[in-house]
Amino acid sequence: MRDQNANILLRPRRLRSGPSIRSMVRETRLHADDLIMPLFVEPGSNVKRPITLMPGQYRYSIDMLPAAVDALLEVGVRSVILFGIPERKDSTGSDSLHDDGIVQKALRTLRSSHPDLYLITDVCLCEYTDHGHCGVLRNGVVINDETLRLLQKQAVSHADSGADMVAPSGMMDGMTAALRSSLDTEGHTGVSIMSYSVKYASAYYGPFREAADSSPQQGNRRAYQMDPPNRREALREARLDVAEGADIIMVKPALAYLDIVRMVRDDVACPVACYNVSGEYSMIKAAAAAGMIDEQAVMMETLVSMKRAGADLILTYFAEDAARLLKQGAP
Ligand code: PBG
Ligand code: ZN
C-alpha cells in the first residue's frame, strides 16, 4: 500500500517485529481478575471425583473445597461460581431451597475458610429436580411463574449463607426482577445479580450435564433457552435484564456466540460476562490429548478472543491453568 502523498510504503510489520513492541501495542489482555472458576460440590467427605468428560475437572465434597480454592488464590483467581449436586432429587428441587442444602453448606464453609473469596452461586433447579428441567414441570411444560417463587427462595437462602452474587441460569421470564425484589425484601440489597441473560439452547453443555447430573429426563430445554440462530432476541433479553436490575449480563455459550458478546457489549453499560462452557473446554482437552493442537496456546488464544469480543469477565474451567500461565508471564 502506498501513502497518497509521500509515496512511502506503509509497513504494519514494524509493530510486530519483536516482543517488546508487540506487547506495547497489544490491544487486549487477559488478567486473572477476569476469570471466574466454576466448582462442583457433592455430598460426602474426602471426595475429589474426576469428571470423566472434562479432564482436569473434579466434583469436590465440601471438606475438599478450601484446598481447591487455595490453589486458585495461589495463581490469582479470586472468584468462583458454585454448582451443587444434591443428596436427593424431587419434582420441585426442594433440596436446593433450604439452608442445609449442599451449596448453602459449601458457602458457609468457604465464607469462613476464605473470607475474601468472591462467592457466586448458580441459581437454578435442574441439578435438583428428578426430571432434570430448570423449573416446575407440568404436562411437559416448565411453569414460569411458579418456578420464579422457588428461585427466589433458593437465591435468598444462598445470600443468607454468604453468597456475594447470585447467577440465575434457568431462562425464566422475569427471573432477575423476581430475585432482586426478594433479595431486597430480605435485607440483601448488597448481593449482586449476574444474570444468564442470553443463554442459548446449546449442545455445548453436554459434558456439564454429566458433571452435574442435570440432563432433562425427557425432552430438551428449547422451550426456555434461546434458539441459536437468533441475534435480535439476544438484545431483547439483555435489555430486559438490565431493566430488571441485573448487575452483570452474561452470554452463554461463548465461543460460537462471540458476535453476540460483541453486540451485547456495545449495547449495555453494565459489565458483560461470557461462559466458556463445558463443551468448549472438553473439545480443547480432547484435541490436545489426541496431539492435534497445543493445549496451552489454544486455551490462551480462545480466552483472549472472548475478551476481544468484548467480555469483561469469563467463566471458565481453564481459570486456574490460564491464571498460572499469566502469573508466569504469558501475555
Ligand atoms: C444450569 C446450567 C447449565 C450450565 C450452567 N448452568 C446447563 C444447562 O443449562 O443445561 C452449563 C455450563 C457448561 O456447559 O459448562 N441451568
Ligand atoms: Zn437449569
Side-chain angles (χ1 to χ4, degrees):
M1 195 205 294
R2 299 237 162 224
D3 183 285
Q4 281 182 330
N5 305 316
N7 208 27
I8 290 169
L9 185 62
L10 296 179
R11 297 181 184 273
R13 281 182 54 179
R14 278 195 289 265
L15 299 185
R16 301 176 202 139
S17 58
S20 300
I21 187 62
R22 283 199 297 274
S23 179
M24 287 160 67
V25 300
R26 192 158 291 136
E27 299 175 35
T28 310
R29 282 176 207 275
L30 273 177
H31 192 279
D33 285 346
D34 309 330
L35 307 175
I36 300 169
M37 179 71 176
L39 290 177
F40 297 96
V41 51
E42 68 165 65
S45 63
N46 204 26
V47 182
K48 183 179 175 183
R49 188 192 308 282
I51 298 168
T52 324
L53 300 182
M54 301 173 69
Q57 299 299 310
Y58 301 87
R59 280 165 49 162
Y60 299 93
S61 52
I62 290 174
D63 56 314
M64 301 291 272
L65 283 177
V69 166
D70 283 340
L72 291 168
L73 290 171
E74 170 69 29
V75 294
V77 175
R78 299 190 289 181
S79 66
V80 298
I81 179 165
L82 299 177
F83 293 91
I85 295 97
E87 204 93 55
R88 52 186 187 85
K89 302 180 187 245
D90 61 17
S91 64
T92 56
S94 51
D95 224 25
S96 72
L97 306 178
H98 54 83
D99 289 350
D100 279 323
I102 182 90
V103 166
Q104 289 85 345
K105 285 199 257 185
L107 284 165
R108 289 196 296 273
T109 295
L110 289 173
R111 186 43 78 227
S112 70
S113 68
H114 295 88
D116 295 331
L117 179 68
Y118 197 82
L119 285 168
I120 309 172
T121 61
D122 185 86
V123 171
C124 201
L125 293 173
C126 52
E127 292 114 83
Y128 305 89
T129 52
D130 48 17
H131 46 72
H133 278 283
C134 299
V136 177
L137 198 62
R138 197 161 299 131
N139 302 321
V141 176
V142 171
I143 310 296
N144 195 88
D145 298 10
E146 250 175 78
T147 301
L148 291 183
R149 286 194 279 282
L150 300 179
L151 296 177
Q152 286 174 310
K153 268 189 98 169
Q154 189 184 118
V156 167
S157 165
H158 288 176
D160 287 342
S161 306
D164 293 299
M165 174 181 279
V166 293
S169 65
M171 289 300 278
M172 297 300 124
D173 293 337
M175 64 184 183
T176 298
L179 262 52
R180 188 68 273 156
S181 95
S182 25
L183 287 170
D184 289 356
T185 306
E186 298 301 321
H188 293 300
T189 52
V191 171
S192 302
I193 299 177
M194 172 166 64
S195 180
Y196 288 66
S197 310
V198 182
K199 178 174 180 181
Y200 287 91
S202 171
Y204 282 97
Y205 309 148
F208 173 95
R209 291 181 187 170
E210 184 237 21
D213 187 24
S214 65
S215 290
Q217 296 302 301
Q218 278 185 8
N220 53 54
R221 304 207 202 289
R222 291 184 182 279
Y224 42 103
Q225 297 179 347
M226 280 179 52
D227 202 19
N230 289 2
R231 181 178 148 86
R232 287 190 310 266
E233 191 183 353
L235 274 187
R236 192 164 181 237
E237 287 282 8
R239 288 173 183 174
L240 271 172
D241 263 331
V242 169
E244 290 179 28
D247 298 285
I248 299 180
I249 297 295
M250 191 204 299
V251 175
K252 177 182 174 199
L255 200 48
Y257 296 85
L258 293 182
D259 58 326
I260 306 297
V261 174
R262 169 50 60 194
M263 180 183 63
V264 169
R265 169 65 295 159
D266 289 343
D267 192 73
V268 302
C270 66
V272 173
C274 69
Y275 199 140
N276 175 213
V277 299
S278 56
E280 301 169 28
Y281 174 86
S282 298
M283 287 195 307
I284 290 178
K285 285 288 183 179
M292 293 173 180
I293 58 170
D294 174 337
E295 176 175 335
Q296 291 188 342
V298 171
M299 167 181 79
M300 296 308 264
E301 186 177 333
T302 301
L303 294 173
V304 89
S305 78
M306 293 166 192
K307 287 218 71 181
R308 196 186 59 232
D312 302 286
L313 297 167
I314 306 172
L315 295 89
T316 178
Y317 306 97
F318 285 121
E320 185 176 336
D321 291 348
R324 188 177 304 108
L325 281 187
L326 291 168
K327 199 179 173 192
Q328 291 162 4

